[in-house]
PDB file of all heavy atoms in Angstrom:
ATOM      1  N   GLU A 138     -65.024 -41.514   4.228  1.00  0.00           N
ATOM      2  CA  GLU A 138     -65.915 -40.962   3.220  1.00  0.00           C
ATOM      3  C   GLU A 138     -65.315 -39.687   2.658  1.00  0.00           C
ATOM      4  O   GLU A 138     -64.822 -38.838   3.384  1.00  0.00           O
ATOM      5  CB  GLU A 138     -67.284 -40.667   3.832  1.00  0.00           C
ATOM      6  CG  GLU A 138     -68.296 -40.263   2.782  1.00  0.00           C
ATOM      7  CD  GLU A 138     -69.691 -40.182   3.336  1.00  0.00           C
ATOM      8  OE1 GLU A 138     -69.993 -40.878   4.319  1.00  0.00           O
ATOM      9  OE2 GLU A 138     -70.468 -39.403   2.778  1.00  0.00           O
ATOM     10  N   GLY A 139     -65.352 -39.542   1.339  1.00  0.00           N
ATOM     11  CA  GLY A 139     -64.786 -38.365   0.690  1.00  0.00           C
ATOM     12  C   GLY A 139     -63.292 -38.475   0.464  1.00  0.00           C
ATOM     13  O   GLY A 139     -62.680 -37.560  -0.032  1.00  0.00           O
ATOM     14  N   ALA A 140     -62.685 -39.603   0.803  1.00  0.00           N
ATOM     15  CA  ALA A 140     -61.248 -39.765   0.653  1.00  0.00           C
ATOM     16  C   ALA A 140     -60.817 -39.700  -0.813  1.00  0.00           C
ATOM     17  O   ALA A 140     -59.678 -39.382  -1.096  1.00  0.00           O
ATOM     18  CB  ALA A 140     -60.777 -41.064   1.275  1.00  0.00           C
ATOM     19  N   GLN A 141     -61.728 -39.992  -1.743  1.00  0.00           N
ATOM     20  CA  GLN A 141     -61.359 -39.943  -3.145  1.00  0.00           C
ATOM     21  C   GLN A 141     -61.007 -38.533  -3.589  1.00  0.00           C
ATOM     22  O   GLN A 141     -60.402 -38.341  -4.616  1.00  0.00           O
ATOM     23  CB  GLN A 141     -62.469 -40.528  -4.039  1.00  0.00           C
ATOM     24  CG  GLN A 141     -63.693 -39.672  -4.187  1.00  0.00           C
ATOM     25  CD  GLN A 141     -64.685 -39.872  -3.046  1.00  0.00           C
ATOM     26  OE1 GLN A 141     -64.402 -40.550  -2.065  1.00  0.00           O
ATOM     27  NE2 GLN A 141     -65.834 -39.276  -3.151  1.00  0.00           N
ATOM     28  N   PHE A 142     -61.357 -37.536  -2.789  1.00  0.00           N
ATOM     29  CA  PHE A 142     -61.039 -36.154  -3.137  1.00  0.00           C
ATOM     30  C   PHE A 142     -59.716 -35.706  -2.527  1.00  0.00           C
ATOM     31  O   PHE A 142     -59.234 -34.643  -2.823  1.00  0.00           O
ATOM     32  CB  PHE A 142     -62.144 -35.204  -2.673  1.00  0.00           C
ATOM     33  CG  PHE A 142     -63.475 -35.521  -3.297  1.00  0.00           C
ATOM     34  CD1 PHE A 142     -64.532 -35.954  -2.522  1.00  0.00           C
ATOM     35  CD2 PHE A 142     -63.670 -35.408  -4.656  1.00  0.00           C
ATOM     36  CE1 PHE A 142     -65.750 -36.255  -3.094  1.00  0.00           C
ATOM     37  CE2 PHE A 142     -64.886 -35.720  -5.232  1.00  0.00           C
ATOM     38  CZ  PHE A 142     -65.928 -36.137  -4.444  1.00  0.00           C
ATOM     39  N   THR A 143     -59.130 -36.490  -1.664  1.00  0.00           N
ATOM     40  CA  THR A 143     -57.913 -36.121  -0.971  1.00  0.00           C
ATOM     41  C   THR A 143     -56.708 -36.619  -1.747  1.00  0.00           C
ATOM     42  O   THR A 143     -56.623 -37.784  -2.088  1.00  0.00           O
ATOM     43  CB  THR A 143     -57.882 -36.735   0.449  1.00  0.00           C
ATOM     44  OG1 THR A 143     -59.068 -36.341   1.122  1.00  0.00           O
ATOM     45  CG2 THR A 143     -56.672 -36.273   1.212  1.00  0.00           C
ATOM     46  N   ARG A 144     -55.773 -35.742  -1.994  1.00  0.00           N
ATOM     47  CA  ARG A 144     -54.538 -36.131  -2.669  1.00  0.00           C
ATOM     48  C   ARG A 144     -53.443 -36.138  -1.620  1.00  0.00           C
ATOM     49  O   ARG A 144     -53.064 -35.101  -1.101  1.00  0.00           O
ATOM     50  CB  ARG A 144     -54.197 -35.149  -3.777  1.00  0.00           C
ATOM     51  CG  ARG A 144     -55.196 -35.196  -4.908  1.00  0.00           C
ATOM     52  CD  ARG A 144     -54.815 -34.191  -5.972  1.00  0.00           C
ATOM     53  NE  ARG A 144     -55.795 -34.206  -7.006  1.00  0.00           N
ATOM     54  CZ  ARG A 144     -55.520 -34.441  -8.274  1.00  0.00           C
ATOM     55  NH1 ARG A 144     -54.299 -34.656  -8.663  1.00  0.00           N
ATOM     56  NH2 ARG A 144     -56.467 -34.437  -9.168  1.00  0.00           N
ATOM     57  N   THR A 145     -52.930 -37.302  -1.332  1.00  0.00           N
ATOM     58  CA  THR A 145     -51.922 -37.407  -0.285  1.00  0.00           C
ATOM     59  C   THR A 145     -50.518 -37.282  -0.841  1.00  0.00           C
ATOM     60  O   THR A 145     -49.626 -36.842  -0.158  1.00  0.00           O
ATOM     61  CB  THR A 145     -52.048 -38.738   0.474  1.00  0.00           C
ATOM     62  OG1 THR A 145     -51.974 -39.800  -0.477  1.00  0.00           O
ATOM     63  CG2 THR A 145     -53.372 -38.801   1.214  1.00  0.00           C
ATOM     64  N   GLU A 146     -50.311 -37.663  -2.103  1.00  0.00           N
ATOM     65  CA  GLU A 146     -48.998 -37.584  -2.719  1.00  0.00           C
ATOM     66  C   GLU A 146     -49.144 -36.963  -4.099  1.00  0.00           C
ATOM     67  O   GLU A 146     -50.176 -37.090  -4.740  1.00  0.00           O
ATOM     68  CB  GLU A 146     -48.393 -38.973  -2.863  1.00  0.00           C
ATOM     69  CG  GLU A 146     -48.101 -39.664  -1.543  1.00  0.00           C
ATOM     70  CD  GLU A 146     -47.523 -41.053  -1.773  1.00  0.00           C
ATOM     71  OE1 GLU A 146     -46.859 -41.258  -2.811  1.00  0.00           O
ATOM     72  OE2 GLU A 146     -47.743 -41.906  -0.913  1.00  0.00           O
ATOM     73  N   ALA A 147     -48.076 -36.305  -4.541  1.00  0.00           N
ATOM     74  CA  ALA A 147     -48.092 -35.716  -5.879  1.00  0.00           C
ATOM     75  C   ALA A 147     -48.337 -36.809  -6.910  1.00  0.00           C
ATOM     76  O   ALA A 147     -47.766 -37.889  -6.830  1.00  0.00           O
ATOM     77  CB  ALA A 147     -46.775 -35.015  -6.156  1.00  0.00           C
ATOM     78  N   GLY A 148     -49.202 -36.536  -7.860  1.00  0.00           N
ATOM     79  CA  GLY A 148     -49.486 -37.484  -8.917  1.00  0.00           C
ATOM     80  C   GLY A 148     -50.585 -38.485  -8.604  1.00  0.00           C
ATOM     81  O   GLY A 148     -51.001 -39.231  -9.477  1.00  0.00           O
ATOM     82  N   GLU A 149     -51.067 -38.528  -7.361  1.00  0.00           N
ATOM     83  CA  GLU A 149     -52.156 -39.449  -7.024  1.00  0.00           C
ATOM     84  C   GLU A 149     -53.416 -38.974  -7.741  1.00  0.00           C
ATOM     85  O   GLU A 149     -53.682 -37.791  -7.845  1.00  0.00           O
ATOM     86  CB  GLU A 149     -52.379 -39.470  -5.514  1.00  0.00           C
ATOM     87  CG  GLU A 149     -53.377 -40.519  -5.087  1.00  0.00           C
ATOM     88  CD  GLU A 149     -53.522 -40.596  -3.580  1.00  0.00           C
ATOM     89  OE1 GLU A 149     -52.577 -40.209  -2.870  1.00  0.00           O
ATOM     90  OE2 GLU A 149     -54.589 -41.012  -3.130  1.00  0.00           O
ATOM     91  N   ARG A 150     -54.209 -39.913  -8.224  1.00  0.00           N
ATOM     92  CA  ARG A 150     -55.398 -39.565  -8.998  1.00  0.00           C
ATOM     93  C   ARG A 150     -56.665 -39.790  -8.195  1.00  0.00           C
ATOM     94  O   ARG A 150     -56.671 -40.518  -7.226  1.00  0.00           O
ATOM     95  CB  ARG A 150     -55.445 -40.404 -10.262  1.00  0.00           C
ATOM     96  CG  ARG A 150     -54.291 -40.109 -11.165  1.00  0.00           C
ATOM     97  CD  ARG A 150     -54.350 -40.974 -12.374  1.00  0.00           C
ATOM     98  NE  ARG A 150     -53.214 -40.663 -13.205  1.00  0.00           N
ATOM     99  CZ  ARG A 150     -53.264 -40.608 -14.509  1.00  0.00           C
ATOM    100  NH1 ARG A 150     -54.371 -40.868 -15.146  1.00  0.00           N
ATOM    101  NH2 ARG A 150     -52.200 -40.309 -15.206  1.00  0.00           N
ATOM    102  N   TYR A 151     -57.729 -39.165  -8.685  1.00  0.00           N
ATOM    103  CA  TYR A 151     -59.040 -39.397  -8.093  1.00  0.00           C
ATOM    104  C   TYR A 151     -59.483 -40.820  -8.379  1.00  0.00           C
ATOM    105  O   TYR A 151     -59.062 -41.445  -9.340  1.00  0.00           O
ATOM    106  CB  TYR A 151     -60.072 -38.437  -8.694  1.00  0.00           C
ATOM    107  CG  TYR A 151     -59.906 -37.016  -8.285  1.00  0.00           C
ATOM    108  CD1 TYR A 151     -59.485 -36.052  -9.191  1.00  0.00           C
ATOM    109  CD2 TYR A 151     -60.196 -36.604  -6.992  1.00  0.00           C
ATOM    110  CE1 TYR A 151     -59.348 -34.731  -8.818  1.00  0.00           C
ATOM    111  CE2 TYR A 151     -60.067 -35.286  -6.608  1.00  0.00           C
ATOM    112  CZ  TYR A 151     -59.646 -34.357  -7.528  1.00  0.00           C
ATOM    113  OH  TYR A 151     -59.517 -33.051  -7.152  1.00  0.00           O
ATOM    114  N   ASP A 152     -60.395 -41.333  -7.571  1.00  0.00           N
ATOM    115  CA  ASP A 152     -60.989 -42.645  -7.793  1.00  0.00           C
ATOM    116  C   ASP A 152     -62.136 -42.463  -8.782  1.00  0.00           C
ATOM    117  O   ASP A 152     -63.259 -42.156  -8.402  1.00  0.00           O
ATOM    118  CB  ASP A 152     -61.483 -43.228  -6.464  1.00  0.00           C
ATOM    119  CG  ASP A 152     -62.139 -44.594  -6.633  1.00  0.00           C
ATOM    120  OD1 ASP A 152     -62.175 -45.109  -7.775  1.00  0.00           O
ATOM    121  OD2 ASP A 152     -62.608 -45.131  -5.628  1.00  0.00           O
ATOM    122  N   VAL A 153     -61.851 -42.648 -10.065  1.00  0.00           N
ATOM    123  CA  VAL A 153     -62.837 -42.370 -11.109  1.00  0.00           C
ATOM    124  C   VAL A 153     -64.008 -43.344 -11.111  1.00  0.00           C
ATOM    125  O   VAL A 153     -65.016 -43.078 -11.756  1.00  0.00           O
ATOM    126  CB  VAL A 153     -62.197 -42.335 -12.513  1.00  0.00           C
ATOM    127  CG1 VAL A 153     -61.212 -41.191 -12.625  1.00  0.00           C
ATOM    128  CG2 VAL A 153     -61.534 -43.655 -12.844  1.00  0.00           C
ATOM    129  N   PHE A 154     -63.884 -44.440 -10.392  1.00  0.00           N
ATOM    130  CA  PHE A 154     -64.985 -45.396 -10.332  1.00  0.00           C
ATOM    131  C   PHE A 154     -65.982 -45.050  -9.230  1.00  0.00           C
ATOM    132  O   PHE A 154     -67.035 -45.647  -9.142  1.00  0.00           O
ATOM    133  CB  PHE A 154     -64.446 -46.817 -10.154  1.00  0.00           C
ATOM    134  CG  PHE A 154     -63.658 -47.269 -11.345  1.00  0.00           C
ATOM    135  CD1 PHE A 154     -62.278 -47.279 -11.313  1.00  0.00           C
ATOM    136  CD2 PHE A 154     -64.291 -47.646 -12.513  1.00  0.00           C
ATOM    137  CE1 PHE A 154     -61.547 -47.671 -12.421  1.00  0.00           C
ATOM    138  CE2 PHE A 154     -63.579 -48.037 -13.624  1.00  0.00           C
ATOM    139  CZ  PHE A 154     -62.198 -48.048 -13.583  1.00  0.00           C
TER     140      PHE A 154
END
Side-chain angles (χ1 to χ4, degrees):
E138 187 171 333
Q141 73 275 8
F142 300 115
T143 305
R144 293 179 182 237
T145 56
E146 295 179 29
E149 187 176 335
R150 296 178 181 219
Y151 290 110
D152 179 2
V153 296
F154 295 102

